[in-house]
Amino acid sequence: MSSTSHSAVTDPSAHHSNLLKQPRAVWAVFFACIIAFMGLGLVDPILPAIAKNLNASQSEVTLLFTSYNAVMAVAMLITGTVSSRLGVKWTLLTGVVVIALFSGLGGFSNGIWNLVGLRAGWGLGNALFVATSLAAIVSLSNSGTAKAIILYEAAIGLGISVGPLLGGWLGGISWRGPFLGVATLMIVAFIGISALMPKSEHRKNVKSKSSLLDPFRALKHKSLLVFGIAAALYNFGFFTLLAYAPFVMGLDEHGLGFVFLGWGILLAVTSVFVAPKLQQWFGTIKSMCFMLVLFAFVLLAMGIWTSTQWVIIAAVIFAGALLGNNNTLITTAVMNAAPVERSTASAAYSFLRFIGGAIAPFMAGKLAEIYNPHVPFITGSIFVLVSVLFIAISYKHVKHVDDAESAH
């Protein structure tokens, strides 16, 4: 993988290959990615239903995101070590099995704390799968690194957009439905990867086993550290919207499912079609900062007009476009930021990013309980603006990302 560790922009095949003409193994991983990322948005429409059925407070229910993201953050540090020993295919399959097991058990849970614990196990499976799937798609794809990243972001977008719709539909039957649905789909993904992914793939990596310290060493590269901290700050806004907005919309499971479907569709479309154009026209860093500033204003509007239902609904859906652009921009920037293996860069960056994602949901629920429902969104807005200021202050450490792109 190190041979491609520096970037999409230097990949000559990126301009000539068809994005949709991929080996079957790529589509197997792509499908499994969609299902894995369904887990992020799947529980959104059922958060109020879980609170009601399990007699839990809002902040207790937001712990479903906190435990999931906290375990993902820590587990990201071991994914390189695990995959270099098991190989990419077996690491993916292990992640799929763990997700299926814990989401299935979640469907039979009878208490909020039990469910929070099972979501943590789900986070472990997701970490093994997510960190390895990007490396798998990039290495197996025949269309160049840049298009492989776009394909990966498309899988994320589809998963995040379909997840809430499926969650709303299954959640309308029972809040347990979405958990059992993911478990079933993961079994299908397991069969697909087992059958279609080559057995010999990446055996050579066993010769150079990754160390647990590799992600921390990677963070010595200031560019990677800057993007990681910025993403942690930005995720305070992202997960405030994702975990807390369902509580103030006043909609049932189906209604929430459709709102987050709109959010996810815009996220998917912009991540694949708009972000590469913005990158080409304005550069990665400027485009990223502009999207983050807009997102901060959207959160601020949600904080001011929290009790106006249509404003919250419109803001959530529109935010999908901003988040889709930003996700692709920051993923591409991280892949190009430092001269380390792509999987190591991803692990280091994801560790920092998910720390923000772990703290934000519970903090949002607590701020609403202590103060009022306006405060979580205003606080999230401030964190997102701080991430922009941090990138601006640290620009000298990351400007080479744009310099490399303009040179090509």
Side-chain angles (χ1 to χ4, degrees):
M1 200 80 69
S2 56
S3 61
T4 56
S5 69
H6 226 69
S7 183
V9 292
T10 60
D11 195 333
S13 63
H15 300 291
H16 304 295
S17 302
N18 189 330
L19 181 66
L20 299 178
K21 287 183 180 177
Q22 300 290 350
R24 287 187 302 169
V26 170
W27 293 118
V29 178
F30 180 83
F31 173 72
C33 277
I34 292 171
I35 301 164
F37 279 97
M38 277 183 184
L40 192 65
L42 199 81
V43 295
D44 263 346
I46 54 171
L47 292 178
I50 291 172
K52 183 181 174 184
N53 284 284
L54 297 182
N55 297 315
S57 68
Q58 290 180 0
S59 61
E60 285 172 347
V61 173
T62 58
L63 284 170
L64 293 174
F65 282 96
T66 292
S67 64
Y68 177 82
N69 285 328
V71 170
M72 272 189 75
V74 176
M76 282 293 176
L77 298 173
I78 64 162
T79 52
T81 305
V82 173
S83 67
S84 68
R85 284 157 176 78
L86 293 181
V88 171
K89 180 175 181 176
W90 282 106
T91 307
L92 286 174
L93 290 174
T94 304
V96 166
V97 169
V98 173
I99 293 168
L101 176 66
F102 283 99
S103 59
L105 289 171
F108 296 103
S109 178
N110 288 313
I112 187 64
W113 295 108
N114 189 10
L115 197 57
V116 167
L118 291 168
R119 274 285 281 183
W122 187 340
L124 172 62
N126 232 43
L128 288 170
F129 181 85
V130 169
T132 318
S133 60
L134 175 57
I137 286 179
V138 169
S139 63
L140 292 167
S141 171
N142 56 16
S143 60
T145 306
K147 287 183 179 176
I149 290 173
I150 291 170
L151 201 64
Y152 175 74
E153 290 295 336
I156 294 174
L158 284 168
I160 288 175
S161 58
V162 174
L165 187 65
L166 187 66
W169 178 63
L170 293 173
I173 302 166
S174 165
W175 69 265
R176 300 176 189 277
F179 290 92
L180 298 173
V182 165
T184 306
L185 287 168
M186 272 296 167
I187 293 168
V188 178
F190 181 89
I191 295 166
I193 292 173
S194 299
L196 298 174
M197 204 164 169
K199 288 180 184 176
S200 59
E201 190 262 327
H202 267 45
R203 289 287 176 200
K204 63 183 179 182
N205 279 4
V206 178
K207 293 176 186 174
S208 55
K209 292 176 180 176
S210 298
S211 161
L212 284 171
L213 296 174
D214 284 352
F216 293 107
R217 291 191 189 109
L219 290 174
K220 289 178 183 175
H221 296 282
K222 289 215 169 82
S223 53
L224 205 55
L225 185 65
V226 168
F227 286 130
I229 292 171
L233 292 166
Y234 139 71
N235 263 2
F236 273 88
F238 184 104
F239 280 96
T240 295
L241 181 138
L242 208 58
Y244 187 68
F247 290 109
V248 299
M249 272 191 238
L251 298 170
D252 65 6
E253 292 88 344
H254 294 290
L256 288 169
F258 281 115
V259 169
F260 279 97
L261 171 67
W263 172 83
I265 288 171
L266 282 181
L267 188 145
V269 169
T270 53
S271 66
V272 176
F273 299 108
V274 182
K277 293 291 182 189
L278 291 173
Q279 199 174 350
Q280 192 181 327
W281 294 336
F282 307 109
T284 303
I285 310 298
K286 280 183 185 174
S287 300
M288 191 192 307
C289 290
F290 183 62
M291 289 299 133
L292 288 173
V293 169
L294 284 180
F295 181 46
F297 282 120
V298 167
L299 286 169
L300 184 61
M302 291 173 76
I304 295 168
W305 292 287
T306 311
S307 52
T308 309
Q309 189 186 49
W310 74 265
V311 172
I312 297 295
I313 292 171
V316 167
I317 293 170
F318 177 64
L322 307 178
L323 298 172
N325 280 316
N326 193 65
N327 285 352
T328 296
L329 291 165
I330 202 163
T331 301
T332 308
V334 166
M335 293 297 104
N336 303 339
V340 297
E341 279 202 4
R342 184 167 274 107
S343 55
T344 304
S346 179
Y349 158 74
S350 295
F351 168 67
L352 292 175
R353 173 170 58 132
F354 285 114
I355 287 173
I359 298 167
F362 182 67
M363 188 179 80
K366 271 295 173 195
L367 286 171
E369 286 169 11
I370 296 168
Y371 301 104
N372 58 63
H374 301 266
V375 176
F377 298 113
I378 293 168
T379 306
S381 173
I382 292 166
F383 271 99
V384 175
L385 281 175
V386 170
S387 76
V388 179
L389 289 172
F390 182 69
I391 292 170
I393 292 166
S394 313
Y395 182 68
K396 67 180 179 181
H397 299 303
V398 295
K399 68 186 179 78
H400 69 275
V401 172
D402 278 338
D403 290 343
E405 280 164 18
S406 60
H408 292 274

